Amino acid sequence: MATTAQLFEEPFDADEYIERLAWRTPGGGSKGGAEAFDPKKLLEEFVNHIEELKQLDERIQRKVEKLEQQCHREAKEFAHKVQDLQRSNQVAFQHFQELDEHISYVATKVCHLGDQLEGVNTPRQRAVEAQRLMTYFNEFLDGELRSDVFNNPDKIKEAADIIQKLHLIAQELPFDRFSDVKAKIASKYHDLERQLIQEFTAAQRRGEIGRMREVAAVLLHFKGYAHCVDVYIKQCQEGAYMRNDVFEDIAILCQRVNKQVGEVFCSPETVMAKLIQSIFENKIQAHVKEKLEETRHSDVEQYLKNLYDLYSRTTALAAKLTDFNLGSDKHTFLSKLIKNIFSCYLESYIDMERQYLQNRSGLILQRYYDSKNHQKRAVGTGSIQELKERIRQRTNLPLGPSIDTHGETFLSQEVVVNLLQETRHAFERCNKLSDPADLPKNAFSIFLLLVEYLCVDHIDYALEIGLSAIPSADAKNANLYFLDVVQQANTIFHLFDKQFNDNLMPLISSSPKLTECLHKKKEVIEQMEVKLDTGIDRTLNCMVGQMKHILVTEQKKTDFKPEDENNVMIQYTTACSKVCAYVSKQVERVRLIHEHLQQFSYSSMGGMLAICDVAEYRRSAKDFRVPLVLQLFDTLHALCNLLVVAPDNLKQVCSGEQLTNLDKNLLHAFVQLRVDYRSARLGRHFS
């Protein structure tokens, strides 16, 4: 096996190398073969191979030493070359610095020479320009314009520059000596100005933006530049209003013109602002006047709708226009334009709104009573009525004759929905059309109308009629409808309260009018509750009287002494049957406290008030001396505790003795009445 450097190339494995050497040696194999294993031959082979390796190592070492010597020699040569290059670079750098200093010196001389030349040339140019203008001035003085610049239409730009300068010079000349020449210059000035505007107009119609830009730049120094802008604005609007929607047309027009004015005029924001001012003062104002004047005196409802729609769309358009560059204070600019259009309408808005709401609400109520063939009774007011109310509250005695309403409650959800809808629209218009300083006051005035027509003229009137219809306690076969009035009044007032929170509160929440509104609402509630309580008390008295009458008239002495003691066919007496049937019928009407409580949402303090109400109801029900009724009120009291208990204690309260057997959905429904139900994530306690 030849010993060469190739045998030791990477990757090298010494064990594999020895194995191959032993395997190739005759008699060196350990697993049999052509010859048996001979250790002497193997040893001899190893010794010879070691010698060969030593010789190979010596040869490689000599080669390495030779290469190292060559490397040292070449490194020295390279170091000398680098030193030579550094010296050459230093010399070149010195030459560069000298050249730079020389260039700077020459440049300074050139700049100085240029300044000197400019100092000489500027007066010369001014003199040449003055001479040229004097030449043209002499032509005007002689009355004959011979220069080609005034007679060649292609040189109108150069002529405009000359005449503009001559016009400025002429302004300084005395009138008595140069009146003729001043008039001629002015005439040529106006003639060129007119030609330039005509050229601009023609270029605009052809859509030549480049030519428009050139002419506008020339006209910039003329007095007629503003007229040029006016012509541009007028032509931009030609054929722009082709749709039925003026506001959409205006938005598209402004979007298109905004891209163009920057390419034509040097001050596009001024032109754009003037365009928008023209649109507002002409197109929009005419459109608004046409829409509003035709209905202002003939159809107030449509007038208010049109005013709201037009004002809303105008403000929405103004919001879009703020995306354009209209100068530094574009919001104030647009607000003034809107105010100029609508101020005469907005000044009288709230008066017309209130007048319309009064007429409309009165008409809705009158149509309802007419449909019932009911002539509305006058409800007494003043000290006599107050005295009657006090006597009624303390004695529960009917004051005045009882009337028969034939089961009519004189409450209509359709009427209520119509009144609330009209008021909601009024609140929306009030929010949009009122001045921010007057908004709370105007909203409060609308709220007072709602109280007047819904709460007083409808609900309170129905309660008065209902109270008058309650028969006396000794009446026979009396029909009791007041509980139906109670239920409907409660539902209606819930809708009223919802509109109060949804539509009125956002308009007055940050103003002193909030206190007045809350006080008025509380006053209305208290007045209604007094009448509801009085009516319920009198109804219960009437129920007791009815049951007494049934027992007196139907219960016979022989009922409890049957003739045949051994053959009794009935389970209960006729009097008992009629009393129980009467009671069952009335119970269906009085199961309203639980339903009533579930129509509101409760804060912590509101929950405490509800608990106090239930406790008072329980005290009143205690007079029935029925354990089941008291037990039901105790359960309702426990349910009300869910309205005030801390969120972390809800599970503990729900597992209490009085609530543990109730349906989980019922408990969850009561917890949902809390105002903090969502914020405190109370639903997780029932998941």
Side-chain angles (χ1 to χ4, degrees):
M1 179 177 172
T3 304
T4 61
Q6 286 76 11
L7 292 173
F8 301 98
E9 292 181 354
E10 296 293 337
F12 176 74
D13 189 341
D15 293 337
E16 183 183 354
Y17 182 78
I18 297 298
E19 285 293 333
R20 282 189 293 159
L21 179 61
W23 181 72
R24 293 186 180 186
T25 301
S30 60
K31 297 182 179 180
E35 298 183 16
F37 177 70
D38 188 349
K40 291 183 179 181
K41 287 185 178 181
L42 184 60
L43 176 60
E44 183 181 352
E45 180 63 25
F46 279 173
V47 170
N48 293 334
H49 201 75
I50 289 171
E51 288 298 326
E52 291 178 2
L53 289 174
K54 289 181 179 179
Q55 294 174 4
L56 178 61
D57 180 62
E58 291 176 356
R59 289 198 301 273
I60 292 174
Q61 187 63 35
R62 286 195 298 271
K63 188 175 181 180
V64 168
E65 291 175 353
K66 183 178 179 182
L67 290 173
E68 286 179 348
Q69 291 175 358
Q70 183 180 356
C71 182
H72 287 306
R73 185 172 59 255
E74 290 180 356
K76 289 181 180 180
E77 293 175 358
F78 181 75
H80 289 306
K81 289 182 179 180
V82 169
Q83 290 176 355
D84 293 340
L85 289 174
Q86 286 179 340
R87 284 192 294 270
S88 299
N89 181 64
Q90 188 173 4
V91 172
F93 183 73
Q94 290 175 351
H95 288 311
F96 177 77
Q97 283 184 323
E98 293 174 358
L99 181 61
D100 184 62
E101 291 174 357
H102 187 65
I103 290 174
S104 298
Y105 174 77
V106 173
T108 302
K109 289 291 186 181
V110 170
C111 290
H112 180 66
L113 181 60
D115 292 339
Q116 289 181 331
L117 290 174
E118 184 178 2
V120 173
N121 188 55
T122 300
R124 179 180 176 278
Q125 285 182 335
R126 290 176 180 173
V128 171
E129 179 68 14
Q131 183 182 13
R132 188 170 68 96
L133 290 175
M134 290 175 65
T135 302
Y136 294 132
F137 185 82
N138 285 333
E139 293 184 12
F140 280 98
L141 195 62
D142 296 338
E144 183 180 357
L145 300 179
R146 298 178 297 276
S147 298
D148 182 59
V149 69
F150 294 123
N151 300 305
N152 189 346
D154 295 334
K155 295 184 178 181
I156 188 172
K157 182 178 178 181
E158 184 180 351
D161 178 62
I162 294 170
I163 201 67
Q164 193 267 337
K165 292 176 180 178
L166 289 176
H167 186 263
L168 292 176
I169 294 172
Q171 302 300 315
E172 305 297 328
L173 298 177
F175 180 80
D176 53 349
R177 293 178 56 192
F178 298 95
S179 58
D180 291 341
V181 70
K182 290 179 70 172
K184 293 176 183 177
I185 292 174
S187 175
K188 189 63 176 178
Y189 177 91
H190 294 302
D191 183 54
L192 280 175
E193 187 178 65
R194 179 179 52 79
Q195 292 181 40
L196 287 169
I197 292 175
Q198 290 176 349
E199 177 63 23
F200 181 89
T201 303
Q204 184 178 0
R205 287 176 177 163
R206 294 192 302 267
E208 298 176 358
I209 302 298
R211 182 57 179 165
M212 291 170 63
R213 181 171 56 249
E214 292 177 5
V215 177
V218 174
L219 277 169
L220 181 62
H221 304 290
F222 280 76
K223 295 179 180 179
Y225 178 73
H227 182 59
C228 172
V229 174
D230 293 338
V231 170
Y232 173 78
I233 290 173
K234 181 180 179 181
Q235 286 200 172
C236 283
Q237 299 181 69
E238 291 179 357
Y241 308 110
M242 304 298 293
R243 301 175 180 80
N244 292 328
D245 191 339
V246 172
F247 295 95
E248 186 65 25
D249 286 336
I250 292 172
I252 295 173
L253 169 65
C254 292
Q255 190 72 35
R256 173 172 58 82
V257 173
N258 184 62
K259 296 178 180 178
Q260 191 179 81
V261 290
E263 301 175 359
V264 175
F265 299 98
C266 61
S267 55
E269 68 280 357
T270 304
V271 178
M272 197 66 195
K274 199 167 185 179
L275 168 66
I276 291 174
Q277 183 178 359
S278 172
I279 291 173
F280 271 74
E281 293 179 350
N282 296 291
K283 189 63 181 179
I284 295 181
Q285 187 160 16
H287 178 69
V288 168
K289 185 176 181 180
E290 177 187 0
K291 288 290 184 182
L292 295 181
E293 291 299 331
E294 65 184 11
T295 58
R296 188 168 191 175
H297 302 292
S298 59
D299 188 348
V300 179
E301 179 182 9
Q302 191 60 45
Y303 168 79
L304 291 172
K305 289 180 179 178
N306 289 345
L307 178 60
Y308 175 78
D309 178 67
L310 291 169
Y311 189 81
S312 299
R313 301 199 66 188
T314 304
T315 53
L317 174 64
K320 291 182 181 178
L321 297 179
T322 56
D323 295 337
F324 304 140
N325 183 11
L326 305 177
S328 58
D329 199 1
K330 52 188 173 184
H331 294 284
T332 304
F333 169 70
L334 292 170
S335 297
K336 287 182 178 179
L337 293 177
I338 296 174
K339 184 178 180 180
N340 291 338
I341 294 174
F342 289 97
S343 59
C344 61
Y345 304 106
L346 297 182
E347 288 174 356
S348 60
Y349 154 71
I350 193 60
D351 294 331
M352 298 190 72
E353 183 72 80
R354 293 181 72 257
Q355 185 63 46
Y356 164 73
L357 198 57
Q358 285 177 324
N359 296 338
R360 181 63 178 168
S361 300
L363 181 62
I364 291 172
L365 290 176
Q366 189 58 48
R367 284 178 178 175
Y368 169 71
Y369 294 123
D370 289 345
S371 69
K372 299 295 181 181
N373 294 321
H374 174 73
Q375 182 65 37
K376 198 171 181 184
R377 300 172 60 208
V379 178
T381 58
S383 58
I384 297 177
Q385 181 66 18
E386 292 175 0
L387 178 60
K388 287 183 177 182
E389 280 296 325
R390 292 181 181 178
I391 296 173
R392 178 189 293 166
Q393 294 171 23
R394 297 190 179 189
T395 64
N396 285 327
L397 294 175
L399 300 178
S402 174
I403 64 174
D404 187 3
T405 61
H406 303 287
E408 180 60 58
T409 63
F410 291 105
L411 287 173
S412 168
Q413 287 202 16
E414 181 181 356
V415 168
V416 172
V417 169
N418 289 336
L419 290 174
L420 291 176
Q421 184 174 356
E422 291 291 345
T423 311
R424 179 173 62 82
H425 292 326
F427 280 134
E428 290 175 354
R429 291 191 289 263
C430 177
N431 186 29
K432 177 65 72 172
L433 301 176
S434 295
D435 186 272
D438 297 330
L439 176 58
K441 177 184 66 175
N442 293 346
F444 180 64
S445 66
I446 294 174
F447 171 68
L448 291 180
L449 290 176
L450 178 63
V451 170
E452 177 183 352
Y453 286 95
L454 176 61
C455 298
V456 178
D457 288 357
H458 192 55
I459 303 177
D460 189 73
Y461 177 74
L463 293 178
E464 286 288 345
I465 296 297
L467 286 171
S468 301
I470 299 174
S472 62
D474 57 354
K476 300 178 179 61
N477 299 322
N479 291 322
L480 303 176
Y481 298 104
F482 190 77
L483 293 179
D484 295 332
V485 177
V486 173
Q487 183 180 11
Q488 292 184 33
N490 181 68
T491 302
I492 292 171
F493 197 82
H494 180 62
L495 296 175
F496 167 79
D497 188 62
K498 186 176 187 303
Q499 185 169 88
F500 182 91
N501 294 324
D502 293 348
N503 299 113
L504 178 60
M505 283 295 288
L507 308 184
I508 61 171
S509 58
S510 58
S511 76
K513 286 293 179 182
L514 174 62
T515 304
E516 293 185 50
C517 287
L518 293 175
H519 177 73
K520 186 64 178 177
K521 178 184 171 186
K522 181 182 178 183
E523 179 183 314
V524 171
I525 293 174
E526 289 176 349
Q527 291 175 355
M528 290 187 180
E529 285 181 343
V530 168
K531 295 182 179 180
L532 290 171
D533 291 343
T534 302
I536 291 173
D537 287 343
R538 290 176 55 193
T539 300
L540 292 176
N541 288 336
C542 189
M543 288 180 184
V544 173
Q546 291 278 44
M547 288 186 285
K548 285 182 179 180
H549 175 71
I550 293 172
L551 291 172
V552 169
T553 57
E554 299 294 336
Q555 194 77 68
K556 299 176 181 178
K557 294 181 179 181
T558 58
D559 287 346
F560 302 104
K561 295 179 181 181
E563 295 179 358
D564 188 355
E565 296 282 347
N566 298 320
N567 189 19
V568 179
M569 301 300 295
I570 60 173
Q571 297 179 347
Y572 37 77
T573 65
T574 302
C576 176
S577 174
K578 290 187 177 182
V579 168
C580 290
Y582 180 80
V583 171
S584 298
K585 181 180 178 181
Q586 303 308 321
V587 166
E588 290 298 323
R589 296 188 174 188
V590 300
R591 288 175 55 192
L592 56 85
I593 295 178
H594 175 265
E595 297 175 2
H596 171 75
L597 290 174
Q598 287 188 305
Q599 295 186 23
F600 300 93
S601 58
Y602 299 88
S603 63
S604 179
M605 182 54 66
M608 293 299 296
L609 292 174
I611 290 175
C612 294
D613 279 359
V614 171
E616 185 65 15
Y617 289 137
R618 186 187 184 282
R619 187 188 64 78
S620 299
K622 190 176 181 181
D623 294 337
F624 287 109
R625 298 180 181 178
V626 180
L628 178 59
V629 174
L630 296 180
Q631 181 182 348
L632 291 175
F633 270 104
D634 289 339
T635 302
L636 184 58
H637 188 280
L639 284 170
C640 288
N641 285 333
L642 298 177
L643 303 175
V644 298
V645 71
D648 296 337
N649 297 333
L650 272 175
K651 282 192 174 182
Q652 179 182 354
V653 174
C654 290
S655 59
E657 179 181 354
Q658 292 177 320
L659 300 180
T660 186
N661 294 324
L662 293 182
D663 185 7
K664 189 176 182 180
N665 292 328
L666 176 61
L667 300 178
H668 191 191
F670 251 82
V671 174
Q672 283 181 309
L673 301 178
R674 295 171 59 126
V675 295
D676 61 348
Y677 173 75
R678 295 186 182 278
S679 60
R681 300 178 58 198
L682 301 182
R684 69 183 189 275
H685 296 290
F686 298 90
S687 58

